Amino acid sequence: MSATPIESGGPPAAKPSAGGRAWVALGVLWFIYVLNFLDRQLLSILAKPIQDALHITDGQLGLLGGLYFAFFYCFIAIPVGWLADRTNRVAVVSIACGVWSAATIACGLSRNFGQLAVSRMTVGFGEAGGVPPSYAIITDYFPPGRRGMALGIYNLGPPVGAALGIAFGASVAAAFSWRDAFIAIGAVGLVVALATPFLVKEPRRGGLDASPARAASAAPARAGFWATVKMFFSTPALVLAALGSGVTQIVTYGLGNFAVLFLMREKGMTLNDVALWYALVVAIGMGGGIFASGWLIDRYTRRSKTAYALLPAMSLALALPFYIAFVWAPSWPLALALMLAPNFLNYFYLSSSVALVQEEVRPNQRVMAGALLLLVMNFIGMGVGPTYVGAASDFFRATHPDNSLQIALYTLIPVYLAAIGLFLWLARVLGRNTPKAETVR
């Protein structure tokens, strides 16, 4: 890797204060995140034709989208985060994009479950290097008070990627083959990986932080690996943000990995229906929710840090009754209409937790702290959610062959309640740690 340390002796870093350059960087990193999530979601979008071609069960699908993927995605993120905190973060993102895009092409060439499993694990290996460095790059391009919105825009990558994946993947699969969808999207990612170093320049670490003295003293020092790990897991607010996000992701990944299969197999949708209507629901619902959450975070965290926790808690409480109605709905048009609300409200946690972690740690710990956040929340959510729902569906198949996925999705209701409880606990911790003067404007 031709990575250059950002400390003295390396080439001059890009000025993070350049407004136009900051938005170009955000746009490129956002598009990479779109590809990241698009590649990741193709498996769930094309679950039905993949099942028909490779003869795999719901439980095996859950492992491919859950535990197998999460193991590599989560744990490789730690050494990648350590490396990116010490070297050129843009180079790390570019190389990671190339790896996961090549692995996506390999998914399309797989001929059995074993080959597909290895390809999916390699996708996870590559995607581990995409998000944590991007969080830190964006934080160093945008000043405090604008980071919530910037990270909110960046976190629109998943809904846009999911929506494009649904529309493109389902359309290609319906017209040609599910294999062609993997190969085409992987090829686009390889081109973007090559172009990224020419479009995004490495910003100075901590250059826009509120305290110039703090940034100046922190920038030359390299954060120790174990010191950062100890700091993260000894800080209650960071741990609770990661746990609350992880439990929330049991719902979002558990539902997300099986929603298309559920709607097609148990509600009667076709691939053409999925390509249009489900794509719109994801784009409008999830995209609107993530964008709105970024704006709300910037607005209300100026008054009190407790907003980082109260906003996700309130949004999940509002989402729960609509989620129950969605799973119950007797037809796919009604189910999709009801699904808009959970898709909008389920993702407030994401920008909130990311912004909180990035604000609470030193500039030279941001990539590593972001990687630790992803490790906890994704290993819980991505590792448990799809794996559990797939296994539960297989379990209920013997007694409820026509609606085993519906029953499996009903069992996620207590998970909502656990996530709400964790975010309320986080709000209490943040309230204790916030000086009284900060809570009143």
Side-chain angles (χ1 to χ4, degrees), residues 290-352:
I290 290 177
F291 184 80
S293 68
W295 180 80
L296 290 169
I297 288 162
D298 278 345
R299 178 180 176 87
Y300 288 104
T301 55
R302 294 188 187 120
R303 303 178 183 179
S304 172
K305 284 187 178 181
T306 58
Y308 283 119
L310 291 177
L311 284 171
M314 292 170 62
S315 69
L316 291 172
L318 290 171
L320 180 54
F322 289 98
Y323 172 80
I324 296 170
F326 155 74
V327 177
W328 161 85
S331 65
W332 70 259
L334 179 58
L336 279 185
L338 292 166
M339 194 182 188
L340 265 172
N343 266 6
F344 183 87
L345 296 164
N346 278 351
Y347 294 90
F348 275 48
Y349 78 92
L350 186 56
S351 296
S352 182

Side-chain angles (χ1 to χ4, degrees), residues 29-105:
L29 294 173
W30 172 82
F31 186 67
I32 292 173
Y33 200 11
V34 168
L35 291 175
N36 178 310
F37 214 81
L38 199 162
D39 291 355
R40 190 188 311 177
Q41 291 297 301
L42 274 181
L43 180 72
S44 60
I45 295 161
L46 303 176
K48 186 69 167 58
I50 292 172
Q51 273 193 329
D52 294 341
L54 302 184
H55 309 291
I56 59 180
T57 67
D58 289 356
Q60 288 175 316
L61 273 175
L63 287 169
L64 288 172
L67 188 62
Y68 291 170
F69 184 92
F71 184 82
F72 280 83
Y73 181 79
C74 296
F75 287 101
I76 296 300
I78 299 304
V80 168
W82 176 84
L83 177 68
D85 266 331
R86 291 165 170 256
T87 60
N88 188 297
R89 297 166 291 184
V90 175
V92 171
V93 172
S94 176
I95 292 169
C97 182
V99 171
W100 85 59
S101 298
T104 299
I105 294 174

Side-chain angles (χ1 to χ4, degrees), residues 31-46 96-109 120 123 127 160-173 177-194:
F31 186 67
I32 292 173
Y33 200 11
V34 168
L35 291 175
N36 178 310
F37 214 81
L38 199 162
D39 291 355
R40 190 188 311 177
Q41 291 297 301
L42 274 181
L43 180 72
S44 60
I45 295 161
L46 303 176
C97 182
V99 171
W100 85 59
S101 298
T104 299
I105 294 174
C107 288
L109 301 175
R120 286 293 295 175
V123 171
E127 290 190 1
V160 174
L164 287 177
I166 294 161
F168 177 80
S171 298
V172 170
S177 164
W178 63 269
R179 298 182 185 279
D180 295 327
F182 279 97
I183 293 169
I185 291 171
V188 172
L190 290 177
V191 174
V192 173
L194 292 173

